[in-house]
Amino acid sequence: MSETVREMIPEADLNARIAELGAQISKDYEGESVYLICILRGAAPFACELAKRITVPVTIDYMTTSSYGAGTVSTGEVRIKSDVEIPVEGRNVLIVEDIIDSGNTLHYLLDVFKNRNAKSVRLCTMLDKPERREVAVDVDYVGFTIPDEFVVGYGLDYDQKYRNLPYIGVVEL
Ligand code: IMP
Ligand code: MG
């Protein structure tokens, strides 16, 4: 392989920020339970770390949506490839994503869960690239806002590589 990865967010910074998000979420949902819906595959490491930092009762399930394939540009089209098994009706859904780019995925999922009569639907993303937004999305919890660069690590891939990196990096081709 010819590309290299330059570190953008160190592991320690990620973990510290996830602890803060967990504390905030625990406070916001005090007296309630929260149903984390992890968007596979990229959000899995983040969702696991986040769940460990939440002190209110937690349920976790997983959903797979259509991805970019091997490229780095969004098609704008979103599909559910595999759905959650635990019903969302009457629950406090917190959608957990790795990164918000165009906003298409979360805009679509927000509608899906509202239509399924969740008690509440909020969004939590590890990373946000606001410069790339095509559709407006209200994000409740953001780990880090980053510039418009293609990042990998902590679950994020480039052609299925680098998901295992413990930090966020930029691919340099
Ligand atoms: P959106 O629908 O354009 O907001 O796309 C969100 C999805 O695109 C994320 O869940 C990622 O899977 C993927 N994605 C967007 N930007 C990046 C990136 O910089 N690195 C890796 N994956 C990305
Ligand atoms: Mg994703």
Side-chain angles (χ1 to χ4, degrees), residues 73-91:
V73 180
S74 172
T75 57
E77 224 180 281
V78 183
R79 273 185 313 123
I80 294 175
K81 289 208 247 170
S82 75
D83 210 336
V84 294
E85 289 185 1
I86 303 165
V88 305
E89 190 172 350
R91 293 175 194 260

Side-chain angles (χ1 to χ4, degrees), residues 25-123:
I25 290 164
S26 304
K27 198 165 153 245
D28 294 350
Y29 288 89
E30 207 182 322
E32 304 264 333
S33 58
V34 60
Y35 179 3
L36 301 183
I37 296 184
C38 169
I39 310 304
L40 293 174
R41 288 181 286 264
F46 172 56
C48 287
E49 292 304 315
L50 183 66
K52 285 191 261 179
R53 306 294 164 213
I54 297 175
T55 54
V56 298
V58 166
T59 304
I60 309 180
D61 207 342
Y62 303 88
M63 177 178 254
T64 310
T65 57
S66 53
S67 75
Y68 291 4
T72 60
V73 180
S74 172
T75 57
E77 224 180 281
V78 183
R79 273 185 313 123
I80 294 175
K81 289 208 247 170
S82 75
D83 210 336
V84 294
E85 289 185 1
I86 303 165
V88 305
E89 190 172 350
R91 293 175 194 260
N92 294 310
V93 166
L94 182 58
I95 302 171
V96 182
E97 251 292 31
D98 47 11
I99 188 165
I100 307 183
D101 189 42
S102 70
N104 287 312
T105 306
L106 284 176
H107 178 78
Y108 172 79
L109 291 179
L110 211 53
D111 268 5
V112 166
F113 292 118
K114 281 179 180 159
N115 289 334
R116 291 182 188 178
N117 298 316
K119 182 176 176 187
S120 65
V121 185
R122 287 188 184 169
L123 305 177

